[in-house]
Amino acid sequence: QVQLVESGGGLVQAGGSLRLSCAASGRTFSSYTMGWFRQAPGKEREFVAAISWSGGSTRYADSVKGRFTISRDNAKNTVYLQMNSLKPEDTAVYYCAKKYGSIWAEQSDFDSWGQGTQVTVSS
């Protein structure tokens, strides 16, 4: 069972940046598609970004396209989410998750999840 641990969240002013990290246990990280999701208070969890096992394919929610960048370092078993030009509406708990196969997948296809890291953007 893979374990995923997010870090890097915090409080930032609007327009600022944060980089989230998600470290995975185990030896098969390089075979996983990885995703970032977020859940704001009172809202359902939503997709943010995904990256293929090689890093060659990425996918973003329209709301973050052009501001967020997902990347991975398979040697470090880590996936990152660089978040720039942050807005108050980006405030949420951010989760990483893993799956096998295509980045074009439903949230329910991701089968292991981290505990989340809080991101708060003040106006």
Side-chain angles (χ1 to χ4, degrees), residues 47-120:
F47 169 78
V48 175
I51 188 167
S52 63
W53 65 272
S54 67
S57 297
T58 57
R59 173 191 167 205
Y60 296 93
D62 288 344
S63 59
V64 307
K65 207 171 290 183
R67 300 188 298 121
F68 291 11
T69 302
I70 188 171
S71 62
R72 66 190 298 161
D73 185 337
N74 287 342
K76 296 183 178 180
N77 279 16
T78 302
V79 62
Y80 304 98
L81 186 68
Q82 178 67 44
M83 305 186 296
N84 298 330
S85 302
L86 282 161
K87 305 175 181 180
E89 51 263 45
D90 295 317
T91 295
V93 177
Y94 283 72
Y95 300 89
C96 69
K98 71 91 173 169
K99 65 178 295 292
Y100 290 102
S102 173
I103 60 172
W104 299 96
E106 299 296 324
Q107 185 175 154
S108 59
D109 292 327
F110 287 79
D111 55 16
S112 291
W113 294 79
Q115 293 300 306
T117 185
Q118 176 71 47
V119 171
T120 303

Side-chain angles (χ1 to χ4, degrees), residues 15-27:
S17 298
L18 281 175
R19 188 176 81 155
L20 306 184
S21 299
C22 172
S25 63
R27 299 181 179 181

Side-chain angles (χ1 to χ4, degrees), residues 28-42:
T28 57
F29 175 78
S30 60
S31 63
Y32 304 147
T33 287
M34 297 299 297
W36 284 99
F37 298 80
R38 66 186 182 186
Q39 186 167 20

